[in-house]
Amino acid sequence: NAGVTQTPKFQVLKTGQSMTLQCAQDMNHEYMSWYRQDPGMGLRLIHYSVGAGITDQGEVPNGYNVSRSTTEDFPLRLLSAAPSQTSVYFCASSFLPGQGGEKLFFGSGTQLSVL
Amino acid sequence: AQKITQTQPGMFVQEKEAVTLDCTYDTSDPSYGLFWYKQPSSGEMIFLIYQGSYDQQNATEGRYSLNFQKARKSANLVISASQLGDSAMYFCAMREGEEYGNKLVFGAGTILRVKS
């Protein structure tokens, strides 16, 4: 199994550009989420989804969009990149709590720099 | 108020000794889950251990154990027989309730350095 696959691993953008970070999982997980990690601040939740067609905002959603058209994929869109969005982005997935969701699986991360 | 507090920015431990990494949490939800993750310098997030709020026993996974003190709202990670490969950042995280999936809140982390 591939687990949680994120692409790209590295990306450099100019201010104002848009892009999509891809996330796919092959474990049939209902729950998927995106986090960003900034130095000294741990991980903060951007958006999450508890199933196909269902998404909701996390702690820091501004400047980001998501959609969940399939169980497997959960792309994160940066609408107009800003230097404040320079960060490491992680996608994570799991079964729902109470249904095997005692472990959240993470992708390998995307290092994004916005100039 | 902080949901997850890790008060130790950095810790040192001698190889083969045990070490405790502190984590306190704040929630009024009776149903919650507590997680510990390891992040080595390579950057990946590695799941270590999970404790549910209704679990009667402290969770254990190999050399990792979670010292769960519900009344004190603490969930400390104990690593026994430390190894050089344990040097990493360690994050404590909490899920409140179950209706929002595994929506985790993370602490700021503790850097652990194992000395030979």
Side-chain angles (χ1 to χ4, degrees):
Chain A
N1 282 345
V4 181
T5 303
Q6 285 183 239
T7 56
K9 291 192 183 301
F10 302 94
Q11 183 71 48
V12 179
L13 293 177
K14 294 182 179 178
T15 297
Q17 286 185 317
S18 63
M19 78 157 295
T20 300
L21 305 185
Q22 301 292 345
C23 177
Q25 53 89 11
D26 61 359
M27 297 172 280
N28 205 29
H29 288 161
E30 299 93 345
Y31 179 81
M32 296 187 75
S33 55
W34 277 100
Y35 286 86
R36 61 176 287 172
Q37 183 177 22
D38 301 307
M41 297 190 71
L43 279 74
R44 292 183 293 168
L45 183 65
I46 304 171
H47 285 286
Y48 67 98
S49 167
V50 295
I54 305 168
T55 64
D56 206 346
Q57 296 179 354
E59 180 185 356
V60 288
N62 291 342
Y64 308 95
N65 271 357
V66 292
S67 60
R68 184 98 179 267
S69 56
T70 66
T71 299
E72 295 78 18
D73 300 298
F74 192 46
L76 178 72
R77 297 183 191 85
L78 280 69
L79 309 173
S80 177
S84 61
Q85 293 179 304
T86 294
S87 189
V88 179
Y89 291 84
F90 287 98
C91 179
S93 73
S94 73
F95 292 113
L96 294 176
Q99 300 174 28
E102 289 73 38
K103 181 176 178 179
L104 187 64
F105 293 80
F106 281 82
S108 57
T110 296
Q111 175 83 55
L112 175 68
S113 295
V114 183
L115 306 177
Chain B
Q2 293 280 351
K3 292 281 187 179
I4 294 287
T5 302
Q6 295 181 254
T7 57
Q8 307 152 313
M11 290 279 287
F12 283 96
V13 65
Q14 196 67 39
E15 194 178 10
K16 299 182 185 177
E17 292 185 350
V19 62
T20 297
L21 305 183
D22 294 341
C23 174
T24 57
Y25 59 92
D26 181 26
T27 181
S28 57
D29 198 316
S31 174
Y32 53 90
L34 297 158
F35 300 72
W36 277 92
Y37 280 85
K38 172 184 178 181
Q39 187 176 45
S41 57
S42 52
E44 71 264 38
M45 294 289 288
I46 302 169
F47 169 82
L48 295 178
I49 200 165
Y50 168 83
Q51 179 86 42
S53 59
Y54 296 119
D55 294 342
Q56 297 295 317
Q57 306 264 2
N58 284 348
T60 60
E61 291 280 356
R63 294 188 297 112
Y64 305 106
S65 61
L66 198 151
N67 185 0
F68 182 43
Q69 298 191 36
K70 202 168 182 176
R72 293 187 173 186
K73 293 189 175 179
S74 76
N76 298 339
L77 177 71
V78 180
I79 305 174
S80 63
S82 297
Q83 302 171 356
L84 295 177
D86 293 333
S87 293
M89 176 74 91
Y90 288 81
F91 291 101
C92 179
M94 175 177 66
R95 178 198 71 234
E96 293 182 277
E98 295 188 351
E99 63 269 37
Y100 303 114
N102 263 332
K103 188 179 167 186
L104 299 192
V105 175
F106 282 80
T110 295
I111 299 174
L112 176 67
R113 291 286 177 252
V114 181
K115 299 183 291 185
S116 59

